[in-house]
Amino acid sequence: MKVDILRLGHRMRRDKRTTTHVGLAARALGANSMIFSGDDDPRVKRSIEDVVTNWGGDFRIEYREDWQKSISSYPGLKVHLTMYGLPVRVVIDEIRDRARAQGILVIVGGEKVPGKVYSMVEYNVSVTNQPHSEISSLAVFLDRLLEGRELEARFEGAERTIKPSAHGKELVTGNRDSS
Amino acid sequence: MKVDILRLGHRMRRDKRTTTHVGLAARALGANSMIFSGDDDPRVKRSIEDVVTNWGGDFRIEYREDWQKSISSYPGLKVHLTMYGLPVRVVIDEIRDRARAQGILVIVGGEKVPGKVYSMVEYNVSVTNQPHSEISSLAVFLDRLLEGRELEARFEGAERTIKPSAHGKELVTGNRDSS
């Protein structure tokens, strides 16, 4: 399934870490790319590209000023994560079916989401109707969308991989694919 | 199930938002409390307590300087979320069974987690062996631990509640429980 993320309203001064966390969570949990709008921020791009270099896969990150066009020109299903939306458990199966055929753009907000977004998407979806975090909403949404299969993904071309361990840290360096 | 969170190594200058997001995600996704260590930070406490006042429930937040004691004195199961740990899908059923009886402390790190933590817990658990975010790891872990039941939780005494909506924002103000 093709999964793209759009992160709205990035602010240079406040959101470097949260936008980076959105991007890293997106990558680790099965998305193919993240677009961000708001302020252009090379630090976010660099942080995520460094992770891709070291840890593999082909996740892409891109800044686009025109978020409206990013939504309206997207060829697949558009879903906005918001605490005001319909419960994820109610709509996720329907969304998964449609996304399989078309691909899906998952939109997450920053501090203020323009009202227009709510009507530009097929679904507004809530991961609880409580305030929490775009990072945690996205994580639960992707895990349910991809039904846990994302947890088994391999990231090709990694310079670093981890050997899961009960009580320590086991880091393997060097590109396994070329060995 | 009693679920408590310990957030290690909070840094006043860098982590205000991420620690707050950890706390809000913890609350929204079914935890009972969060302890944080590292720097004491009244802004984090205030942000989370404001959410509890407005949105209900009895989530508690507390600063404790001595994180080692917070771990060693915890009466239940201790689980540390780390990209180096055992895959969540492999260990979650076993963890859930033990946590039901004893309660569970879920430990998430900041930038640097002391090596000691890995041996002070019963489980080191990974939500993918990729770098992402303590917020997304915690979200997926709680959703799987509580098997989605946390998404149906009601928060008693809320001043604000949301009526889930397909394409708008419906906020209900005023304490429903006293009406």
Side-chain angles (χ1 to χ4, degrees):
Chain A
M1 190 189 303
K2 187 172 162 6
V3 181
D4 301 295
I5 312 298
L6 172 61
R7 198 291 202 255
L8 299 172
H10 175 76
R11 295 163 303 173
M12 195 77 180
R13 292 187 55 178
R14 295 200 54 192
D15 296 334
K16 195 238 164 190
R17 291 186 70 212
T18 46
T19 302
T20 303
H21 283 215
V22 169
L24 294 179
R27 172 185 172 276
L29 299 172
N32 301 97
S33 79
M34 179 171 85
I35 298 159
F36 67 105
S37 65
D39 296 338
D40 193 2
D41 191 340
R43 300 167 306 168
V44 169
K45 266 197 103 197
R46 200 157 45 228
S47 293
I48 290 176
E49 284 168 351
D50 283 353
V51 167
V52 174
T53 302
N54 288 322
W55 297 92
D58 55 3
F59 186 81
R60 295 174 314 285
I61 170 140
E62 194 186 325
Y63 172 76
R64 285 196 209 153
E65 193 177 349
D66 190 344
W67 61 266
Q68 296 201 47
K69 200 176 147 199
S70 297
I71 300 177
S72 61
S73 70
Y74 191 78
L77 189 69
K78 293 168 281 243
V79 171
H80 172 221
L81 301 184
T82 162
M83 66 192 288
Y84 295 97
L86 299 175
V88 62
R89 67 189 153 73
V90 174
V91 290
I92 194 71
D93 292 339
E94 202 176 297
I95 288 176
R96 190 184 306 110
D97 284 346
R98 294 180 67 177
R100 264 194 199 118
Q102 313 176 257
I104 181 171
L105 182 69
V106 185
I107 303 162
V108 297
E111 209 80 345
K112 292 254 181 202
V113 172
K116 208 169 178 176
V117 174
Y118 290 78
S119 56
M120 291 179 78
V121 298
E122 278 89 355
Y123 293 91
N124 290 282
V125 175
S126 60
V127 175
T128 83
N129 296 112
Q130 298 292 320
H132 49 117
S133 165
E134 56 276 33
I135 305 161
S136 38
S137 306
L138 180 64
V140 170
F141 181 83
L142 289 177
D143 190 34
R144 285 168 170 259
L145 179 71
L146 302 171
E147 297 174 289
R149 281 190 304 274
E150 80 286 358
L151 300 181
E152 330 253 338
R154 296 200 56 231
F155 289 79
E156 300 297 327
E159 293 289 334
R160 299 181 195 167
T161 49
I162 282 168
K163 197 158 163 282
S165 161
H167 286 283
K169 290 186 182 188
E170 292 194 52
L171 182 66
V172 183
T173 54
N175 191 327
R176 278 181 166 182
D177 294 330
S178 62
S179 67
Chain B
M1 188 191 303
K2 188 173 163 1
V3 181
D4 302 295
I5 312 298
L6 171 62
R7 199 293 202 251
L8 299 172
H10 175 75
R11 296 163 305 174
M12 194 78 179
R13 292 187 54 178
R14 296 201 54 191
D15 297 333
K16 195 239 163 190
R17 292 187 69 212
T18 47
T19 302
T20 303
H21 282 214
V22 169
L24 294 180
R27 173 186 172 275
L29 299 172
N32 301 97
S33 78
M34 179 172 85
I35 298 160
F36 67 105
S37 65
D39 296 337
D40 193 1
D41 190 339
R43 300 167 306 168
V44 170
K45 266 197 99 194
R46 202 157 44 228
S47 292
I48 290 176
E49 284 168 351
D50 283 351
V51 168
V52 174
T53 302
N54 287 322
W55 296 93
D58 56 3
F59 186 82
R60 294 174 314 286
I61 168 140
E62 194 186 325
Y63 172 76
R64 285 195 208 154
E65 193 177 348
D66 189 345
W67 60 267
Q68 295 201 46
K69 201 176 146 200
S70 297
I71 300 177
S72 60
S73 69
Y74 191 78
L77 189 69
K78 293 168 281 244
V79 171
H80 172 222
L81 300 185
T82 162
M83 66 191 285
Y84 295 96
L86 299 175
V88 61
R89 67 191 151 72
V90 173
V91 291
I92 194 71
D93 291 340
E94 201 176 300
I95 289 175
R96 190 184 307 110
D97 285 346
R98 294 180 66 177
R100 263 194 199 118
Q102 312 176 256
I104 181 172
L105 181 68
V106 184
I107 302 163
V108 297
E111 209 79 346
K112 292 251 180 204
V113 172
K116 207 169 178 178
V117 173
Y118 290 77
S119 56
M120 290 179 80
V121 298
E122 278 89 355
Y123 293 91
N124 290 283
V125 175
S126 61
V127 175
T128 83
N129 297 113
Q130 297 292 320
H132 50 118
S133 163
E134 57 274 35
I135 304 161
S136 37
S137 307
L138 180 64
V140 170
F141 181 82
L142 289 177
D143 190 33
R144 285 168 170 259
L145 178 72
L146 302 170
E147 297 175 288
R149 280 189 305 275
E150 81 286 359
L151 301 181
E152 330 254 338
R154 296 199 58 229
F155 289 79
E156 300 297 326
E159 293 289 336
R160 299 180 195 168
T161 48
I162 282 168
K163 198 160 161 283
S165 160
H167 286 284
K169 291 185 181 187
E170 293 194 51
L171 182 66
V172 183
T173 55
N175 191 326
R176 279 182 166 181
D177 296 329
S178 62
S179 67

